[in-house]
Amino acid sequence: MTVSETAGAASFSKLGFAKGQVIQEFGYDDDVDDALRFALEDVIGNELEDEDFNDGADGVMIWYRDGDDDLVDLMVDGLTKLFDQGFIVLLTPKAGRSGHVDASVVEEAASTAGLITGGQVNVAADWAATRLMPPKGPRR
């Protein structure tokens, strides 16, 4: 499947993904969209790193469903892996799908974790993505 058949190159770009980035993935499970994962790997030119990756990352991708571990903790874990100017993309099941997460839950968790939401993008048939960014300025 090509990028245009899943999210489209423009969607990946809008989320912040680009060639040469190191992207760490959290929350992988049997229900993730493998076509989306493979298309993203094509865009960045690297394989996604797993949760055990200990070096810094340009971005973190979190698959999250209602009932998973604490969302704030996952966001904070993702933040600790980021280089400056890094970002997090949170993937959640779309409305009406099993495991759907209400936008207010995402917004509250992001705020608690010290992140700013950058809007939601439809990236696959069953998943939507929300870009999360640390506030501008140096991290403490």
Side-chain angles (χ1 to χ4, degrees):
M1 188 170 275
T2 66
V3 173
S4 61
E5 290 175 303
T6 52
S11 293
F12 284 127
S13 176
K14 188 175 188 178
L15 290 168
F17 296 113
K19 189 82 168 163
Q21 289 178 327
V22 174
I23 304 297
Q24 187 171 14
E25 179 181 40
F26 289 84
Y28 178 88
D29 207 342
D30 295 339
D31 64 345
V32 302
D33 188 309
D34 282 325
L36 175 66
R37 294 177 72 250
F38 297 141
L40 177 56
E41 288 177 342
D42 287 345
V43 168
I44 64 173
N46 298 307
E47 289 186 8
L48 297 171
E49 299 293 343
D50 66 18
E51 293 180 19
D52 296 327
F53 182 70
N54 286 321
D55 292 336
D58 300 297
V60 168
M61 184 170 76
I62 301 172
W63 300 92
Y64 186 80
R65 308 126 193 106
D66 184 40
D68 282 357
D69 292 336
D70 185 73
L71 183 54
V72 174
D73 288 346
L74 286 170
M75 290 177 179
V76 170
D77 288 348
L79 271 172
T80 64
K81 304 293 184 160
L82 293 177
F83 291 132
D84 283 343
Q85 308 303 313
F87 60 94
I88 294 173
V89 171
L90 176 68
L91 293 139
T92 55
K94 289 182 179 178
R97 308 308 196 281
S98 176
H100 171 70
V101 179
D102 191 72
S104 65
V105 171
V106 172
E107 194 69 42
E108 183 178 335
S111 177
T112 302
L115 295 164
I116 300 166
T117 58
Q120 194 174 74
V121 176
N122 290 322
V123 292
D126 293 325
W127 294 89
T130 304
R131 182 178 162 102
L132 307 168
M133 298 139 309
K136 295 195 185 295
R139 278 194 223 143
R140 296 180 199 172

